[in-house]
């Protein structure tokens, strides 16, 4: 686990927020407890329940973990997990390969950071936390000298999957990646066998990626453990427009 490389405050919000990088086993456990609360308890995923109340996997020890704290309570209220190209090379794969064949992206691996497990406490979802996490992500990308951000974004199947179909159909028309960046799900979600919801409800994380210039790299995978349909997204930093570059602290020319 690397030491903190980021420090920032946001003061123009009801809560003063601080951004850092997890640097101790105790901070990693705080991250894993928040993820457990949001991903498992709040979604009622009893099949993933654990006695220690932690959401953890074999990738955690190889990743860096952005943390946003409420400086008044010191509570961790947001987190993002980042796997650098060098660490991915060391362990031989990225998390997304659990769900997708990424063979077409082999030439990007040395320039790609994988982001995942984005998680915000329910009481802090007004926008400030995710913006602070994105600013930390941009700083991380600069430090790692990577040109691409990759990762999975989930769509809940609580409605039987109809919204997932609607979201994919709606977004794939304008945001599909060029053919050379397409990936294939190991367990495809059956989008062609379900009727689409009348109006797609696009998850905020997916909206954020696409507004920043990310591509959808193919049909969604089915994640039965988390009861979600997962899209693989690829964001070339060159696609960041000036408006979002300013928000995330990235100079347009640096992209």
């Amino acid at each position: 686990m690397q030491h903190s490389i980021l420090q920032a405050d946001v003061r123009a919000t009801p809560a003063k927020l601080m951004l850092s990088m997890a640097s101790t086993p105790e901070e990693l456990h705080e991250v894993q407890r928040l993820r457990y609360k949001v991903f498992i308890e709040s979604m009622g995923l009893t099949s993933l329940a654990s006695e220690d109340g932690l959401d953890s996997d074999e990738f955690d020890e190889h990743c860096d973990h952005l943390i946003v704290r409420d400086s008044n309570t010191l509570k961790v209220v947001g987190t993002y997990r980042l796997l650098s190209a060098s660490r991915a090379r060391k362990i031989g794969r990225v998390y997304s390969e659990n769900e997708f064949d990424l063979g077409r992206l082999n030439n990007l691996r040395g320039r790609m950071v994988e982001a995942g497990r984005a998680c915000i406490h329910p009481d802090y979802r007004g926008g400030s936390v995710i913006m602070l996490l994105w600013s930390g992500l941009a700083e991380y990308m600069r430090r790692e000298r990577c040109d691409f951000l990759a990762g999975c974004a989930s769509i809940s199947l609580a409605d039987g999957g109809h919204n997932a179909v609607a979201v994919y159909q709606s977004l794939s028309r304008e945001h599909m990646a060029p053919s050379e960046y397409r990936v294939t799900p190991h367990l495809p979600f059956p989008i062609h066998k379900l009727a689409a919801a009348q109006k797609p409800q696009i998850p905020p994380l997916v909206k954020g990626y696409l507004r920043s210039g990310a591509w959808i790299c193919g049909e969604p995978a089915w994640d039965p453990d988390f009861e979600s349909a997962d899209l693989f997204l690829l964001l070339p930093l060159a696609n960041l427009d000036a408006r979002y570059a300013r928000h995330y602290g990235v100079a347009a020319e640096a992209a």
Side-chain angles (χ1 to χ4, degrees):
M1 193 66 60
Q2 297 196 6
H3 292 286
S4 173
I5 60 167
L6 300 162
Q7 292 292 336
D9 291 348
V10 172
R11 301 170 191 273
T13 59
K16 180 182 173 185
L17 303 174
M18 303 183 299
L19 176 69
S20 64
M21 192 75 80
S23 60
T24 66
E26 291 75 21
E27 286 189 315
L28 177 56
H29 286 162
E30 289 183 275
V31 164
Q32 293 168 333
R33 277 193 289 272
L34 176 62
R35 291 183 347 205
Y36 188 88
K37 177 182 177 64
V38 172
F39 294 144
I40 297 173
E41 287 186 346
S42 66
M43 296 175 64
L45 301 179
T46 55
S47 62
L48 299 178
S50 65
E51 291 184 2
D52 61 10
L54 302 178
D55 168 60
S56 62
D57 65 19
E58 69 273 20
F59 284 88
D60 277 340
E61 64 180 288
H62 301 286
C63 292
D64 291 304
H65 302 264
L66 286 171
I67 291 176
V68 174
R69 290 185 187 275
D70 182 328
S71 62
N72 294 321
T73 64
L74 299 183
K75 181 169 63 176
V76 173
V77 298
T79 183
Y80 221 141
R81 186 169 80 174
L82 307 176
L83 180 61
S84 67
S86 59
R87 301 249 187 116
R89 185 166 54 249
K90 183 177 180 180
I91 62 177
R93 63 192 180 103
V94 297
Y95 175 85
S96 299
E97 286 177 283
N98 291 340
E99 300 189 62
F100 295 92
D101 179 350
L102 304 184
R104 288 193 178 184
L105 305 184
N106 284 342
N107 63 320
L108 304 183
R109 289 180 185 269
R111 299 181 290 141
M112 187 173 74
V113 166
E114 184 185 49
R117 289 294 206 271
C119 181
I120 298 174
H121 190 283
D123 296 339
Y124 291 80
R125 292 181 179 169
S128 298
V129 174
I130 190 61
M131 293 303 296
L132 196 51
L133 288 170
W134 270 98
S135 71
L137 177 57
E139 174 63 25
Y140 188 86
M141 299 287 288
R142 285 200 296 270
R143 190 194 76 173
E144 295 294 325
R145 295 185 171 88
C146 284
D147 301 317
F148 293 88
L149 175 68
C152 296
S154 299
I155 306 168
S156 171
L157 300 179
D159 71 337
H162 303 289
N163 183 57
V165 175
V167 168
Y168 177 76
Q169 290 180 351
S170 171
L171 299 180
S172 60
R173 289 190 287 267
E174 296 184 11
H175 300 283
M176 188 62 73
S179 58
E180 62 266 30
Y181 299 120
R182 301 286 175 87
V183 304
T184 305
H186 297 312
L187 180 61
F189 183 71
I191 57 173
H192 304 293
K193 297 182 179 180
L194 292 172
Q198 188 169 6
K199 183 178 180 181
Q201 301 296 318
I202 304 171
L205 183 64
V206 175
K207 283 184 180 178
Y209 274 115
L210 297 181
R211 286 172 178 170
S212 303
W215 296 320
I216 296 171
C217 294
E219 294 186 355
W222 187 1
D223 185 340
D225 290 335
F226 282 94
E227 299 179 11
S228 65
D230 293 349
L231 296 171
F232 183 82
L233 302 175
L234 184 68
L235 172 58
L237 291 192
N239 282 7
L240 279 172
D241 63 30
R243 179 164 59 108
Y244 280 88
R246 285 196 299 271
H247 276 309
Y248 303 151
V250 183
E253 60 269 19

